[in-house]
Amino acid sequence: GCGGHPRHVVFLTCDAFGVLPPVAKLTNEQALYHFITGYTAKVAGTERGVVEPEATFSACFGAAFMTLHPTKYAELLRQRLEEHDTNVYLVNTGWAGGGYGVGKRMAIDATRSCITAVLDGSIEALPDEAFVADPVFQFKVPTAVPGVAADVPLVPRDAWTDDAAYDKARDELAVMFQENFKKFAGPGVVDYTSYGPQLAK
């Protein structure tokens, strides 16, 4: 059979640095940036030879299978998002309160509740004031999500005991994003750089 077009899309990532929120709402342009970026992290126990967390980027979340430039697939995604008024969310199943070895892995029930809230539209029904904009990554982060316990910190910085340490980790991850994305910007392609992380100069 053939299903209809989705009203909600979830990008899954596993951030081992404790920087990204459990769930974030993306604009269409931010969705294209994160689609092209395809970020996740390798951690010990999931990949042979990995002993420390490593950021990894796989364009379109499947670079090995893409024969065209990633921006071509991003343009197809853009058309579908606009045509079907689809909402996109980034869901992080990684760490909170610190990176791997310091923080804690996201509780599976919290992740399930975030995804449920996306799929049933309850997160979309939240008022604008229920979201805060991340000062670096720019996406909107809910301060409460239906079904997620109140003691689960949804704003990543709130989960860390050391604000300066969080800011340092966040900025380091932002630089990784920026360095990776340079290969997707240039003559003849749409440049989505401005929809990714932006650091103060």
Side-chain angles (χ1 to χ4, degrees), residues 11 13 19-24 90-96 106 110-111 114-115 141-142 148 152-156:
F11 293 160
T13 187
V19 169
L20 299 183
V23 60
L90 180 68
V91 172
N92 172 30
T93 65
W95 275 255
M106 302 284 182
T111 296
C114 286
I115 293 176
V141 180
V148 176
V152 175
L154 296 173
V155 178

Side-chain angles (χ1 to χ4, degrees), residues 116-194:
T116 297
V118 169
L119 297 181
D120 69 14
S122 58
I123 194 172
E124 196 65 29
L126 294 173
D128 289 342
E129 55 267 26
F131 293 84
V132 294
D134 186 280
V136 171
F137 283 85
Q138 304 188 83
F139 41 51
K140 291 184 177 180
V141 180
T143 55
V145 171
V148 176
D151 61 350
V152 175
L154 296 173
V155 178
R157 198 169 190 258
D158 295 344
W160 287 55
T161 57
D162 185 335
D163 288 349
Y166 171 77
D167 292 345
K168 181 175 183 292
R170 178 199 59 203
D171 292 355
E172 288 174 350
L173 182 61
V175 169
M176 293 184 217
F177 270 68
Q178 292 174 337
E179 289 300 314
N180 170 73
F181 209 81
K182 287 179 179 178
K183 60 179 173 284
F184 303 122
V189 298
V190 178
D191 186 358
Y192 296 100
T193 303
S194 63

